[in-house]
């Protein structure tokens, strides 16, 4: 079973789940990758989720967003 929860701080999160969680995965993308770099965290999460791996989405490549800015998209 996979549950997705949102909390204001890590401390509030930890106080809420520490006694009942078997595993905790926290993903905070920082920055944007350059093509064709894929984030290792996304790759590993897909392996863990197996049949539900399509719920992991790649962040957009920096070049795609730059192209959009340059072309008024």
């Amino acid at each position: 079973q996979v549950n997705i929860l949102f909390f204001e701080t890590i401390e509030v999160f930890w106080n809420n789940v520490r006694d009942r969680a078997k595993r905790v995965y926290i993903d905070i993308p920082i920055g944007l990758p350059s093509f064709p770099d894929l984030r290792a965290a996304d790759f590993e999460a897909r392996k863990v989720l197996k049949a539900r791996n399509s719920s992991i989405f790649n962040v957009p490549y920096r070049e795609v967003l730059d192209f959009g800015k340059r072309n008024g998209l």
Side-chain angles (χ1 to χ4, degrees), residues 3-53:
N3 294 313
I4 299 174
L5 306 169
F6 296 91
F7 297 91
E8 285 294 318
T9 67
I10 292 291
E11 181 180 19
V12 171
F13 159 76
W14 186 243
N15 290 334
N16 189 281
V17 303
R18 70 175 161 203
D19 294 331
R20 59 190 166 92
K22 291 181 183 177
R23 290 187 183 126
V24 173
Y25 300 93
I26 299 174
D27 182 27
I28 304 170
I30 298 174
L32 298 172
S34 290
F35 183 81
D37 293 340
L38 296 177
R39 292 175 357 119
D42 296 337
F43 179 77
E44 294 299 321
R46 286 186 184 96
K47 288 192 323 189
V48 170
L49 293 176
K50 297 178 181 163
R52 295 181 51 105
N53 68 10

